[in-house]
């Protein structure tokens, strides 16, 4: 794919569909917490740990799958990831022990998400399009993930209500296998043949890793994405249970997460477009500051259906708005050649935050009977992260400054 493709092309469309399925399936897992916990007769901490393990494995395998895609191509990585994703959902549906849940919903689904998600598809998107379209393409791909959340969550909830959680998971496993059909257009894509790499100085993977890990601003970006993961994973997994505890029926939770998905589409497209025009680090600082404000207001105001929906709209607008700017900063700082690997490392730390947010939510709920401590922690660390981004230097590293690369 040396010749840049148009935004309205089969390649971009398939990339968006892949991300929609990937993120939609993953976002529905929180609705399985209550029925699975009731079936096995244990507290929420157990399945919360499975989902926390899922986020951790997603992060741990993301640098690996990104490197495989950079080296051997996106198609092979997507095929392997889709098969593992489906296998994990199947094992979860037939689980008869805690360890089977951890293996299926935790380890295998986490690996599958890593092989078919943002860390593999977004770098491919960045290589597909012309440099001036790159920021919007990253926003478009991220918005597609939100569209998947909007579309898949109601379907998954209806499957659970109509057929039970075991059959629902089998049906979702079939959906995961459907991603195999979307992998073919990426054949031939790899960092060596990607758009825009020809202007970059040659660099090996060890050299790229040494350069990035020795760059303090890379670590500041990583710290911010850790906080992003903590917030998003906690809300995704525990919001349905939190609303049930507050006296709302399951439909309110479905609408809540669907609103997050819907308005995240607009947020991703807007912030993706802005990332190509304005300072990416400043946009990230604004997003984290607004998140802190929204969570604080949600906790301080009396909870009602209206407040839940307003919170969901505001949160959705900011939900994955960090992804276009963060992935764009990786490309802007270090170039495209090893973007899959370097963004994978950033995303690993996002998932370490996700692990902590999911597990801590379940642990503190079982210990205190409330999620309030985790909500306030999410607001506080978002505010700190907003300040951190003030100090990030978003210029390309010295290696690239004499031969600029658009990002």
């Amino acid at each position: 794919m040396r010749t840049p493709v148009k935004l309205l092309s089969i390649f971009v469309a398939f990339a968006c569909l892949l991300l929609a399925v990937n993120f939609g399936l993953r976002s529905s897992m929180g609705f399985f917490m209550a029925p699975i916990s009731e079936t096995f007769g244990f507290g929420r901490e157990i399945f919360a740990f499975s989902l926390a393990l899922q986020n951790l494995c997603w992060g741990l395998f993301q640098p690996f799958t990104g490197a495989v895609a950079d080296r051997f191509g996106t198609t092979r990585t997507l095929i392997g990831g889709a098969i593992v994703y489906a296998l994990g959902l199947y094992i979860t549906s037939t689980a008869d022990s805690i360890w089977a849940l951890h293996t299926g919903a935790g380890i295998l689904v986490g690996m599958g998400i890593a092989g078919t998600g943002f860390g593999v598809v977004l770098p491919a998107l960045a290589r597909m399009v012309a440099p001036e379209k790159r920021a919007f393409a990253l926003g478009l791909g991220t918005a597609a993930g939100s569209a998947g959340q909007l579309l898949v969550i109601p379907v998954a909830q209806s499957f659970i209500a109509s057929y039970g959680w075991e059959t629902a998971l089998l049906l979702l496993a079939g959906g995961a296998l459907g991603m195999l059909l979307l992998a073919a257009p990426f054949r031939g894509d790899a960092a060596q043949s990607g758009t825009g790499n020809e202007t970059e100085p040659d660099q090996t993977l060890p050299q790229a890793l040494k350069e990035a890990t020795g760059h303090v601003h890379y670590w500041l970006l990583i710290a911010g994405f850790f906080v992003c993961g903590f917030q998003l994973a906690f809300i995704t997994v525990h919001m349905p249970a939190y609303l049930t505890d507050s006296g709302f029926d399951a439909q309110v939770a479905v609408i809540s997460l669907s609103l997050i998905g819907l308005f995240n589409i607009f947020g991703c497209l807007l912030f993706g477009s802005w990332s190509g025009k304005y300072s990416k680090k400043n946009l990230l600082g604004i997003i984290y500051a607004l998140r802190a404000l929204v969570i604080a207001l949600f906790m301080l105001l009396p909870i009602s259906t209206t407040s839940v929906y307003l919170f969901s709209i505001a949160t959705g607008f900011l939900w994955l708005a960090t992804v276009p700017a963060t992935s764009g900063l990786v490309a802007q700082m270090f170039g495209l050649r090893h973007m899959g690997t370097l963004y994978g490392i950033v995303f690993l730390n996002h998932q370490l935050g996700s692990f902590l947010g999911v597990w801590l939510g379940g642990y503190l709920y079982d210990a205190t009977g409330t999620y309030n401590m985790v909500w306030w922690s999410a607001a506080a660390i978002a505010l700190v992260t907003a300040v951190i981004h003030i100090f990030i230097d978003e210029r390309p590293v010295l290696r690239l400054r004499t031969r600029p690369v658009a990002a």
Side-chain angles (χ1 to χ4, degrees):
M1 283 184 255
R2 290 184 180 274
T3 302
V5 302
K6 297 180 180 180
L7 289 176
L8 294 177
S9 67
I10 189 67
F11 300 105
V12 175
F14 273 45
C16 290
L17 285 172
L18 266 163
L19 291 173
V21 175
N22 171 285
F23 201 77
L25 294 175
R26 177 253 175 186
S27 298
S28 69
M29 295 301 290
F31 288 92
F32 291 90
M33 180 173 293
I36 288 178
S37 298
E38 290 171 4
T39 298
F40 283 86
F42 45 56
R44 292 176 188 170
E45 182 183 357
I46 300 300
F47 193 61
F49 182 81
S50 295
L51 298 186
L53 188 61
Q54 175 192 114
N55 282 282
L56 181 62
C57 288
W58 178 6
L60 288 173
F61 282 91
Q62 194 64 81
F64 172 75
T65 57
V68 170
D70 284 344
R71 178 65 180 87
F72 299 105
T74 304
T75 296
R76 294 177 183 178
T77 311
L78 291 172
I79 290 172
I83 293 172
V84 174
Y85 205 148
L87 179 62
L89 291 170
Y90 171 77
I91 290 177
T92 306
S93 73
T94 60
D96 57 2
S97 67
I98 291 174
W99 291 110
L101 286 176
H102 292 342
T103 300
I107 297 171
L108 292 177
V109 171
M111 292 171 62
I113 296 171
T116 57
F118 289 139
V120 171
V121 179
L122 288 184
L125 262 177
R127 291 190 288 263
M128 285 178 185
V129 300
E132 63 272 14
K133 302 290 186 182
R134 191 169 296 144
F136 186 79
L138 293 173
L140 184 64
T142 309
S146 299
Q149 177 177 337
L150 173 66
L151 297 173
V152 175
I153 283 178
V155 173
Q157 176 62 21
S158 68
F159 284 165
I160 295 172
S162 300
Y163 308 115
W165 65 267
E166 297 97 332
T167 302
L169 283 169
L170 287 175
L171 293 171
L172 295 185
L177 287 176
M179 289 188 285
L180 293 171
L181 302 176
L182 303 172
F186 293 92
R187 188 170 300 153
D189 171 72
Q192 289 88 340
S193 60
T195 300
N197 289 333
E198 294 80 359
T199 63
E200 294 182 17
D202 289 336
Q203 186 185 46
T204 65
L205 179 57
Q207 289 172 337
L209 292 173
K210 182 178 180 181
E211 178 182 66
T213 55
H215 194 57
V216 65
H217 304 284
Y218 183 64
W219 289 106
L220 293 178
L221 191 65
I222 283 173
F225 226 34
F226 177 92
V227 171
C228 180
F230 181 97
Q231 295 171 320
L232 268 58
F234 166 70
I235 295 173
T236 299
V237 171
H238 293 285
M239 188 68 166
Y242 174 74
L243 294 178
T244 299
D245 294 343
S246 299
F248 299 99
D249 61 34
Q251 191 61 29
V252 174
V254 171
I255 295 173
S256 170
L257 291 185
S258 296
L259 283 172
I260 290 175
L262 174 62
F263 281 87
N264 188 40
I265 295 173
F266 302 115
C268 290
L269 291 175
L270 181 60
F271 281 98
S273 176
W274 283 349
S275 293
K277 300 176 182 178
Y278 306 113
S279 165
K280 296 178 178 62
K281 70 162 189 172
N282 290 342
L283 289 174
L284 288 169
I286 291 170
I287 291 169
Y288 288 119
L290 289 175
R291 282 188 185 179
L293 177 62
V294 169
I295 293 173
L297 289 175
F298 186 52
M299 289 290 95
L300 290 172
L301 296 175
I303 190 168
S304 65
T305 303
T306 300
S307 71
V308 169
Y309 292 162
L310 288 175
F311 169 79
S312 301
I313 291 170
T315 299
F317 190 73
L318 305 168
W319 190 249
L320 293 178
T322 57
V323 174
T326 301
S327 56
L329 269 180
V330 173
Q332 183 171 301
M333 287 178 175
F334 304 105
L336 291 173
R337 189 175 301 277
H338 298 289
M339 181 184 172
T341 306
L342 297 181
Y343 179 67
I345 294 172
V346 176
F347 198 80
L348 164 61
N349 288 272
H350 182 282
Q351 294 312 105
L352 291 176
S354 297
F355 175 88
L356 184 61
V358 173
W359 174 78
L360 195 61
Y363 174 79
L364 289 178
Y365 178 86
D366 285 346
T368 66
T370 178
Y371 287 112
N372 287 350
M373 188 179 299
V374 189
W375 281 112
W376 282 111
S377 297
I381 59 178
L383 193 58
V384 172
T385 303
V387 175
I388 286 176
H389 280 76
I390 296 174
F391 301 98
I392 292 179
D393 182 354
E394 58 189 346
R395 294 177 300 168
V397 293
L398 185 61
R399 173 179 57 87
L400 298 176
R401 289 179 196 169
T402 56
R403 302 174 67 180
V405 178

